[in-house]
Amino acid sequence: METNNTKSGFAALIGRPNVGKSTLMNHLIGQKIAITSRKPQTTRNRIQTIYTEDRGQIIFLDTPGIHKAKNKLGKYMVSAAETTPKDVDVCLWLVEPSEKIGPGDTHIAGLLRKSNVPVILVINKIDKVKKTELVGVIDSFRKLMTFDDIIAVSAIQGKNLDQLIDAIFKYLPYGPLYYDPDTITDQPVRQIASELIREKALRCLGDEIPHGIAVAIIKMQDRPNSDITDIDAEIVCERDSHKGIIIGKNGSKLKEIGSEARVEIEDLIERKVNLKLWVKVRQNWRDSDIQVKNFGYDASKL
Ligand code: GDP
Ligand code: MG
């Protein structure tokens, strides 16, 4: 690959939870995640996904959703998300295709306007609406701020993602690649494994335990002379009643969470996984500095 003509830079993904940030990343990068970064681990709380092609490299920062913080963990996640726009070359603001603008949107627009970074409005999930409805959506968001580009996509169907990539490259500076072209993330495998378990748990549990769980990997070890990796992980919740819900009748919920997570971790590390899950109750872990730190968040930034 020619390196003197390449562009390389950072694109932040901003948006409310559930707008499809992770889905978009997965679609751009493909499912397999190889962890071969040359750089030391610096940011633990923003997932970096790296897209490389002939034109260069886009390093995506998938920020935690910006929302109102209710406790220390929430505050921390919001501050990580809110400080991101200043350090990047371009911001992608992902939204749902709806004309309704909420206080959250106004807040995000305010942050983006202050940041002085080019902003691309990305209207996701266009597979859910008619083309004619998009005009109204665009009008509503345009009232909030001026966008450098507006692109409508479907992350799930991979629609218009080429246009999105084209738009992002417009705002990246020329320069050598930051990462080896084969690298697609800089997250350590343990952290991805714990995120996968957490995601599966939240999906299986629906709204029963909103935000109230964390996952800690206690052990992750390759068995010598075999293709099996043993993983012990703890799902931590705040109340005994939650513990019961997570375990489910005769352990059915926990089994479901474990088997879904196992399949994805196996894909990720390309080894067989023996996953053991436990559920622990630690009251108010979200309000405790030590415990928030234990789970991989940097409490000094709280
Ligand atoms: P995040 O919280 O912003 O990372 O959102 P996720 O990527 O986890 O997606 C939240 C939900 O929206 C999931 O159920 C996705 O399957 C769904 N979703 C994401 N992108 C699309 C899309 O383009 N179309 C539709 N119909 N659903 C989508
Ligand atoms: Mg996500």
Side-chain angles (χ1 to χ4, degrees):
M1 191 185 301
E2 278 272 335
T3 50
N4 17 2
N5 291 327
T6 54
K7 287 184 157 190
S8 191
F10 292 82
L13 279 169
I14 315 273
R16 284 199 261 172
N18 274 322
V19 293
K21 297 182 294 295
S22 302
T23 309
L24 179 66
M25 285 304 92
N26 290 340
H27 210 107
L28 289 175
I29 308 303
Q31 296 297 54
K32 194 175 144 260
I33 298 181
I35 290 90
T36 54
S37 170
R38 294 196 206 133
K39 271 196 166 178
Q41 180 63 20
T42 47
T43 43
R44 304 164 96 193
N45 22 61
R46 300 184 302 200
I47 299 170
Q48 296 200 349
T49 319
I50 302 147
Y51 171 92
T52 309
E53 54 146 90
D54 289 346
R55 277 178 287 181
Q57 194 161 65
I58 307 169
I59 299 148
F60 289 99
L61 309 177
D62 177 6
T63 61
I66 295 177
H67 56 88
K68 269 230 159 89
K70 292 203 194 84
N71 50 45
K72 278 193 177 157
L73 178 59
K75 269 190 205 136
Y76 176 67
M77 289 175 55
V78 171
S79 88
E82 295 194 345
T83 53
T84 299
K86 293 183 216 94
D87 316 329
V88 297
D89 300 298
V90 56
C91 280
L92 312 187
W93 182 11
L94 248 78
V95 299
E96 299 261 349
S98 157
E99 286 181 33
K100 263 195 271 154
I101 303 286
D105 298 311
T106 314
H107 178 65
I108 292 175
L111 289 172
L112 292 175
R113 271 200 313 264
K114 267 196 302 195
S115 73
N116 276 330
V117 170
V119 178
I120 303 174
L121 179 70
V122 182
I123 303 169
N124 188 29
K125 309 194 187 183
I126 52 164
D127 53 287
K128 283 178 30 178
V129 294
K130 295 201 201 83
K131 251 194 183 149
T132 47
E133 292 171 56
L134 277 178
V135 182
V137 177
I138 292 171
D139 278 350
S140 302
F141 279 95
R142 269 204 177 132
K143 282 182 193 131
L144 289 177
M145 63 179 286
T146 311
F147 295 100
D148 296 274
D149 261 305
I150 298 177
I151 314 241
V153 304
S154 166
I156 243 172
Q157 298 181 344
K159 211 167 165 197
N160 291 350
L161 299 189
D162 288 352
Q163 268 154 273
L164 178 61
I165 296 291
D166 289 349
I168 297 168
F169 270 117
K170 274 203 285 192
Y171 302 102
L172 300 191
Y174 283 96
L177 307 184
Y178 284 89
Y179 291 88
D180 185 278
D182 295 330
T183 308
I184 51 186
T185 183
D186 77 341
Q187 259 198 314
V189 83
R190 263 177 181 249
Q191 192 180 337
I192 300 176
S194 75
E195 279 297 318
L196 280 174
I197 297 167
R198 186 164 178 276
E199 183 194 306
K200 295 302 164 201
L202 290 174
R203 293 258 146 102
C204 291
L205 295 164
D207 292 334
E208 288 166 285
I209 305 175
H211 306 297
I213 58 163
V215 172
I217 304 287
I218 308 300
K219 178 181 117 178
M220 183 159 184
Q221 217 162 52
D222 292 347
R223 259 186 231 175
N225 309 317
S226 91
D227 62 347
I228 299 173
T229 299
D230 290 295
I231 302 176
D232 294 355
E234 249 177 44
I235 298 180
V236 183
C237 61
E238 289 187 316
R239 301 209 177 97
D240 280 322
S241 60
H242 290 171
K243 181 174 174 176
I245 296 170
I246 297 168
I247 293 173
K249 212 175 166 203
N250 298 323
S252 57
K253 242 330 174 254
L254 197 60
K255 246 187 226 155
E256 190 187 334
I257 296 167
S259 67
E260 286 192 14
R262 181 182 50 78
V263 173
E264 291 208 12
I265 299 171
E266 286 179 339
D267 259 9
L268 170 76
I269 63 177
E270 298 183 307
R271 291 175 60 84
K272 293 213 178 71
V273 167
N274 172 39
L275 175 63
K276 289 203 197 109
L277 290 179
W278 281 271
V279 184
K280 286 259 163 77
V281 179
R282 291 191 205 167
Q283 264 154 19
N284 303 323
W285 66 264
R286 281 183 291 165
D287 276 328
S288 141
D289 281 1
I290 298 160
Q291 302 213 16
V292 167
K293 200 171 190 169
N294 267 343
F295 294 117
Y297 300 94
D298 180 358
S300 68
K301 293 198 193 144
L302 284 169

mmCIF file of all heavy atoms in Angstrom, residues 263-290:
data_model
loop_
_atom_site.group_PDB
_atom_site.id
_atom_site.type_symbol
_atom_site.label_atom_id
_atom_site.label_comp_id
_atom_site.label_asym_id
_atom_site.label_seq_id
_atom_site.Cartn_x
_atom_site.Cartn_y
_atom_site.Cartn_z
ATOM 1 N N VAL A 263 -20.697 -18.677 21.985
ATOM 2 C CA VAL A 263 -20.588 -18.769 20.529
ATOM 3 C C VAL A 263 -19.814 -17.565 19.978
ATOM 4 O O VAL A 263 -18.913 -17.710 19.149
ATOM 5 C CB VAL A 263 -21.985 -18.851 19.883
ATOM 6 C CG1 VAL A 263 -21.882 -18.770 18.373
ATOM 7 C CG2 VAL A 263 -22.690 -20.129 20.307
ATOM 8 N N GLU A 264 -20.154 -16.377 20.467
ATOM 9 C CA GLU A 264 -19.488 -15.185 19.929
ATOM 10 C C GLU A 264 -18.030 -15.076 20.363
ATOM 11 O O GLU A 264 -17.183 -14.615 19.604
ATOM 12 C CB GLU A 264 -20.260 -13.915 20.314
ATOM 13 C CG GLU A 264 -21.580 -13.878 19.576
ATOM 14 C CD GLU A 264 -22.106 -12.480 19.339
ATOM 15 O OE1 GLU A 264 -21.363 -11.493 19.541
ATOM 16 O OE2 GLU A 264 -23.279 -12.382 18.948
ATOM 17 N N ILE A 265 -17.742 -15.520 21.575
ATOM 18 C CA ILE A 265 -16.341 -15.468 22.031
ATOM 19 C C ILE A 265 -15.518 -16.487 21.235
ATOM 20 O O ILE A 265 -14.382 -16.225 20.849
ATOM 21 C CB ILE A 265 -16.230 -15.718 23.552
ATOM 22 C CG1 ILE A 265 -16.993 -14.637 24.316
ATOM 23 C CG2 ILE A 265 -14.768 -15.705 24.001
ATOM 24 C CD1 ILE A 265 -17.145 -14.901 25.802
ATOM 25 N N GLU A 266 -16.121 -17.628 20.945
ATOM 26 C CA GLU A 266 -15.417 -18.635 20.130
ATOM 27 C C GLU A 266 -15.071 -18.067 18.752
ATOM 28 O O GLU A 266 -13.978 -18.257 18.242
ATOM 29 C CB GLU A 266 -16.272 -19.908 19.988
ATOM 30 C CG GLU A 266 -16.285 -20.725 21.268
ATOM 31 C CD GLU A 266 -17.134 -21.997 21.180
ATOM 32 O OE1 GLU A 266 -18.018 -22.065 20.295
ATOM 33 O OE2 GLU A 266 -16.912 -22.899 22.010
ATOM 34 N N ASP A 267 -16.024 -17.360 18.179
ATOM 35 C CA ASP A 267 -15.788 -16.702 16.888
ATOM 36 C C ASP A 267 -14.632 -15.724 16.968
ATOM 37 O O ASP A 267 -13.798 -15.622 16.084
ATOM 38 C CB ASP A 267 -17.024 -15.876 16.519
ATOM 39 C CG ASP A 267 -17.884 -16.596 15.508
ATOM 40 O OD1 ASP A 267 -17.592 -17.775 15.252
ATOM 41 O OD2 ASP A 267 -18.822 -15.966 14.998
ATOM 42 N N LEU A 268 -14.643 -14.986 18.066
ATOM 43 C CA LEU A 268 -13.676 -13.921 18.267
ATOM 44 C C LEU A 268 -12.261 -14.462 18.421
ATOM 45 O O LEU A 268 -11.316 -13.955 17.802
ATOM 46 C CB LEU A 268 -14.099 -13.150 19.519
ATOM 47 C CG LEU A 268 -13.169 -12.130 20.123
ATOM 48 C CD1 LEU A 268 -13.209 -10.885 19.281
ATOM 49 C CD2 LEU A 268 -13.608 -11.798 21.542
ATOM 50 N N ILE A 269 -12.097 -15.481 19.235
ATOM 51 C CA ILE A 269 -10.729 -15.935 19.504
ATOM 52 C C ILE A 269 -10.367 -17.164 18.677
ATOM 53 O O ILE A 269 -9.249 -17.659 18.748
ATOM 54 C CB ILE A 269 -10.476 -16.191 21.019
ATOM 55 C CG1 ILE A 269 -11.370 -17.309 21.562
ATOM 56 C CG2 ILE A 269 -10.679 -14.928 21.825
ATOM 57 C CD1 ILE A 269 -11.085 -17.625 23.039
ATOM 58 N N GLU A 270 -11.328 -17.657 17.908
ATOM 59 C CA GLU A 270 -11.107 -18.828 17.059
ATOM 60 C C GLU A 270 -10.582 -20.017 17.852
ATOM 61 O O GLU A 270 -9.649 -20.699 17.443
ATOM 62 C CB GLU A 270 -10.196 -18.477 15.881
ATOM 63 C CG GLU A 270 -10.840 -17.424 14.995
ATOM 64 C CD GLU A 270 -10.031 -17.085 13.759
ATOM 65 O OE1 GLU A 270 -8.848 -16.757 13.922
ATOM 66 O OE2 GLU A 270 -10.596 -17.149 12.655
ATOM 67 N N ARG A 271 -11.158 -20.221 19.016
ATOM 68 C CA ARG A 271 -10.874 -21.406 19.837
ATOM 69 C C ARG A 271 -12.179 -21.845 20.476
ATOM 70 O O ARG A 271 -13.126 -21.068 20.539
ATOM 71 C CB ARG A 271 -9.866 -21.050 20.947
ATOM 72 C CG ARG A 271 -8.466 -20.749 20.448
ATOM 73 C CD ARG A 271 -7.573 -20.285 21.587
ATOM 74 N NE ARG A 271 -7.426 -21.258 22.663
ATOM 75 C CZ ARG A 271 -6.548 -22.259 22.658
ATOM 76 N NH1 ARG A 271 -5.740 -22.422 21.624
ATOM 77 N NH2 ARG A 271 -6.475 -23.096 23.672
ATOM 78 N N LYS A 272 -12.217 -23.097 20.946
ATOM 79 C CA LYS A 272 -13.396 -23.543 21.699
ATOM 80 C C LYS A 272 -13.349 -22.900 23.076
ATOM 81 O O LYS A 272 -12.277 -22.689 23.643
ATOM 82 C CB LYS A 272 -13.382 -25.065 21.862
ATOM 83 C CG LYS A 272 -13.564 -25.807 20.561
ATOM 84 C CD LYS A 272 -14.329 -27.124 20.800
ATOM 85 C CE LYS A 272 -14.561 -27.833 19.499
ATOM 86 N NZ LYS A 272 -13.295 -28.398 18.951
ATOM 87 N N VAL A 273 -14.515 -22.576 23.592
ATOM 88 C CA VAL A 273 -14.553 -21.894 24.878
ATOM 89 C C VAL A 273 -15.388 -22.690 25.882
ATOM 90 O O VAL A 273 -16.481 -23.159 25.566
ATOM 91 C CB VAL A 273 -15.133 -20.465 24.722
ATOM 92 C CG1 VAL A 273 -15.478 -19.868 26.073
ATOM 93 C CG2 VAL A 273 -14.153 -19.567 23.972
ATOM 94 N N ASN A 274 -14.814 -22.861 27.062
ATOM 95 C CA ASN A 274 -15.560 -23.430 28.165
ATOM 96 C C ASN A 274 -15.870 -22.268 29.111
ATOM 97 O O ASN A 274 -14.999 -21.810 29.831
ATOM 98 C CB ASN A 274 -14.706 -24.513 28.837
ATOM 99 C CG ASN A 274 -15.330 -25.017 30.121
ATOM 100 O OD1 ASN A 274 -16.541 -25.170 30.207
ATOM 101 N ND2 ASN A 274 -14.497 -25.251 31.125
ATOM 102 N N LEU A 275 -17.100 -21.780 29.036
ATOM 103 C CA LEU A 275 -17.457 -20.559 29.777
ATOM 104 C C LEU A 275 -18.265 -20.889 31.030
ATOM 105 O O LEU A 275 -19.302 -21.541 30.943
ATOM 106 C CB LEU A 275 -18.274 -19.630 28.861
ATOM 107 C CG LEU A 275 -18.835 -18.352 29.472
ATOM 108 C CD1 LEU A 275 -17.746 -17.410 29.950
ATOM 109 C CD2 LEU A 275 -19.738 -17.627 28.465
ATOM 110 N N LYS A 276 -17.761 -20.450 32.172
ATOM 111 C CA LYS A 276 -18.532 -20.618 33.418
ATOM 112 C C LYS A 276 -18.943 -19.243 33.933
ATOM 113 O O LYS A 276 -18.125 -18.345 34.077
ATOM 114 C CB LYS A 276 -17.683 -21.323 34.474
ATOM 115 C CG LYS A 276 -17.454 -22.785 34.165
ATOM 116 C CD LYS A 276 -17.123 -23.538 35.457
ATOM 117 C CE LYS A 276 -16.494 -24.874 35.143
ATOM 118 N NZ LYS A 276 -15.051 -24.902 35.476
ATOM 119 N N LEU A 277 -20.219 -19.119 34.214
ATOM 120 C CA LEU A 277 -20.744 -17.827 34.688
ATOM 121 C C LEU A 277 -21.280 -17.941 36.104
ATOM 122 O O LEU A 277 -21.928 -18.922 36.447
ATOM 123 C CB LEU A 277 -21.902 -17.375 33.786
ATOM 124 C CG LEU A 277 -21.595 -16.930 32.361
ATOM 125 C CD1 LEU A 277 -22.894 -16.557 31.650
ATOM 126 C CD2 LEU A 277 -20.649 -15.743 32.373
ATOM 127 N N TRP A 278 -20.978 -16.930 36.903
ATOM 128 C CA TRP A 278 -21.553 -16.848 38.243
ATOM 129 C C TRP A 278 -22.289 -15.521 38.369
ATOM 130 O O TRP A 278 -21.940 -14.568 37.666
ATOM 131 C CB TRP A 278 -20.447 -16.862 39.302
ATOM 132 C CG TRP A 278 -19.912 -18.217 39.581
ATOM 133 C CD1 TRP A 278 -20.372 -19.109 40.505
ATOM 134 C CD2 TRP A 278 -18.799 -18.843 38.933
ATOM 135 N NE1 TRP A 278 -19.615 -20.252 40.462
ATOM 136 C CE2 TRP A 278 -18.650 -20.125 39.516
ATOM 137 C CE3 TRP A 278 -17.919 -18.469 37.912
ATOM 138 C CZ2 TRP A 278 -17.656 -21.021 39.121
ATOM 139 C CZ3 TRP A 278 -16.934 -19.354 37.516
ATOM 140 C CH2 TRP A 278 -16.810 -20.623 38.116
ATOM 141 N N VAL A 279 -23.221 -15.477 39.294
ATOM 142 C CA VAL A 279 -23.884 -14.203 39.562
ATOM 143 C C VAL A 279 -23.573 -13.785 40.997
ATOM 144 O O VAL A 279 -23.747 -14.570 41.929
ATOM 145 C CB VAL A 279 -25.413 -14.313 39.363
ATOM 146 C CG1 VAL A 279 -26.067 -12.949 39.557
ATOM 147 C CG2 VAL A 279 -25.738 -14.857 37.971
ATOM 148 N N LYS A 280 -23.073 -12.562 41.159
ATOM 149 C CA LYS A 280 -22.720 -12.063 42.493
ATOM 150 C C LYS A 280 -23.502 -10.791 42.778
ATOM 151 O O LYS A 280 -23.698 -9.968 41.877
ATOM 152 C CB LYS A 280 -21.219 -11.686 42.545
ATOM 153 C CG LYS A 280 -20.284 -12.871 42.578
ATOM 154 C CD LYS A 280 -19.788 -13.125 44.009
ATOM 155 C CE LYS A 280 -19.198 -14.519 44.167
ATOM 156 N NZ LYS A 280 -17.842 -14.605 43.599
ATOM 157 N N VAL A 281 -23.874 -10.631 44.035
ATOM 158 C CA VAL A 281 -24.553 -9.394 44.414
ATOM 159 C C VAL A 281 -23.551 -8.486 45.125
ATOM 160 O O VAL A 281 -22.883 -8.906 46.059
ATOM 161 C CB VAL A 281 -25.737 -9.679 45.374
ATOM 162 C CG1 VAL A 281 -26.425 -8.380 45.773
ATOM 163 C CG2 VAL A 281 -26.717 -10.640 44.721
ATOM 164 N N ARG A 282 -23.397 -7.281 44.617
ATOM 165 C CA ARG A 282 -22.591 -6.287 45.353
ATOM 166 C C ARG A 282 -23.403 -5.012 45.371
ATOM 167 O O ARG A 282 -23.605 -4.385 44.328
ATOM 168 C CB ARG A 282 -21.263 -6.027 44.644
ATOM 169 C CG ARG A 282 -20.365 -7.216 44.732
ATOM 170 C CD ARG A 282 -18.985 -6.867 44.272
ATOM 171 N NE ARG A 282 -18.319 -8.070 43.811
ATOM 172 C CZ ARG A 282 -17.195 -8.074 43.122
ATOM 173 N NH1 ARG A 282 -16.617 -6.939 42.795
ATOM 174 N NH2 ARG A 282 -16.645 -9.200 42.747
ATOM 175 N N GLN A 283 -23.844 -4.686 46.571
ATOM 176 C CA GLN A 283 -24.757 -3.548 46.654
ATOM 177 C C GLN A 283 -24.080 -2.249 46.259
ATOM 178 O O GLN A 283 -22.934 -2.005 46.602
ATOM 179 C CB GLN A 283 -25.333 -3.452 48.057
ATOM 180 C CG GLN A 283 -26.698 -4.133 48.101
ATOM 181 C CD GLN A 283 -27.039 -4.620 49.475
ATOM 182 O OE1 GLN A 283 -26.467 -4.174 50.450
ATOM 183 N NE2 GLN A 283 -27.982 -5.535 49.541
ATOM 184 N N ASN A 284 -24.812 -1.451 45.524
ATOM 185 C CA ASN A 284 -24.348 -0.109 45.129
ATOM 186 C C ASN A 284 -22.990 -0.095 44.448
ATOM 187 O O ASN A 284 -22.230 0.835 44.601
ATOM 188 C CB ASN A 284 -24.292 0.820 46.349
ATOM 189 C CG ASN A 284 -25.630 0.914 47.022
ATOM 190 O OD1 ASN A 284 -26.662 0.914 46.352
ATOM 191 N ND2 ASN A 284 -25.634 0.960 48.330
ATOM 192 N N TRP A 285 -22.651 -1.143 43.717
ATOM 193 C CA TRP A 285 -21.340 -1.124 43.079
ATOM 194 C C TRP A 285 -21.164 0.057 42.150
ATOM 195 O O TRP A 285 -20.067 0.543 41.959
ATOM 196 C CB TRP A 285 -21.035 -2.435 42.354
ATOM 197 C CG TRP A 285 -21.916 -2.725 41.176
ATOM 198 C CD1 TRP A 285 -23.030 -3.501 41.165
ATOM 199 C CD2 TRP A 285 -21.750 -2.254 39.836
ATOM 200 N NE1 TRP A 285 -23.588 -3.538 39.912
ATOM 201 C CE2 TRP A 285 -22.826 -2.773 39.077
ATOM 202 C CE3 TRP A 285 -20.822 -1.443 39.186
ATOM 203 C CZ2 TRP A 285 -22.983 -2.516 37.726
ATOM 204 C CZ3 TRP A 285 -20.985 -1.183 37.840
ATOM 205 C CH2 TRP A 285 -22.054 -1.720 37.130
ATOM 206 N N ARG A 286 -22.265 0.537 41.639
ATOM 207 C CA ARG A 286 -22.124 1.641 40.679
ATOM 208 C C ARG A 286 -21.722 2.943 41.350
ATOM 209 O O ARG A 286 -21.256 3.865 40.704
ATOM 210 C CB ARG A 286 -23.413 1.833 39.893
ATOM 211 C CG ARG A 286 -23.544 0.810 38.791
ATOM 212 C CD ARG A 286 -24.760 1.060 37.987
ATOM 213 N NE ARG A 286 -25.953 0.781 38.759
ATOM 214 C CZ ARG A 286 -27.151 1.187 38.398
ATOM 215 N NH1 ARG A 286 -27.313 1.924 37.326
ATOM 216 N NH2 ARG A 286 -28.189 0.878 39.127
ATOM 217 N N ASP A 287 -21.931 3.014 42.694
ATOM 218 C CA ASP A 287 -21.563 4.242 43.373
ATOM 219 C C ASP A 287 -20.213 4.156 44.057
ATOM 220 O O ASP A 287 -19.776 5.080 44.722
ATOM 221 C CB ASP A 287 -22.632 4.614 44.400
ATOM 222 C CG ASP A 287 -23.763 5.361 43.713
ATOM 223 O OD1 ASP A 287 -23.468 6.082 42.735
ATOM 224 O OD2 ASP A 287 -24.911 5.209 44.121
ATOM 225 N N SER A 288 -19.539 3.040 43.910
ATOM 226 C CA SER A 288 -18.278 2.879 44.612
ATOM 227 C C SER A 288 -17.104 3.030 43.650
ATOM 228 O O SER A 288 -17.021 2.359 42.636
ATOM 229 C CB SER A 288 -18.259 1.503 45.269
ATOM 230 O OG SER A 288 -16.985 0.934 45.171
ATOM 231 N N ASP A 289 -16.185 3.942 43.989
ATOM 232 C CA ASP A 289 -15.025 4.169 43.127
ATOM 233 C C ASP A 289 -14.253 2.887 42.880
ATOM 234 O O ASP A 289 -13.884 2.558 41.779
ATOM 235 C CB ASP A 289 -14.051 5.156 43.768
ATOM 236 C CG ASP A 289 -14.528 6.573 43.601
ATOM 237 O OD1 ASP A 289 -15.607 6.755 43.003
ATOM 238 O OD2 ASP A 289 -13.835 7.484 44.065
ATOM 239 N N ILE A 290 -13.989 2.181 43.978
ATOM 240 C CA ILE A 290 -13.154 0.998 43.879
ATOM 241 C C ILE A 290 -13.772 -0.017 42.942
ATOM 242 O O ILE A 290 -13.132 -0.576 42.084
ATOM 243 C CB ILE A 290 -12.979 0.346 45.270
ATOM 244 C CG1 ILE A 290 -12.284 1.341 46.193
ATOM 245 C CG2 ILE A 290 -12.195 -0.957 45.176
ATOM 246 C CD1 ILE A 290 -12.482 1.039 47.647
#
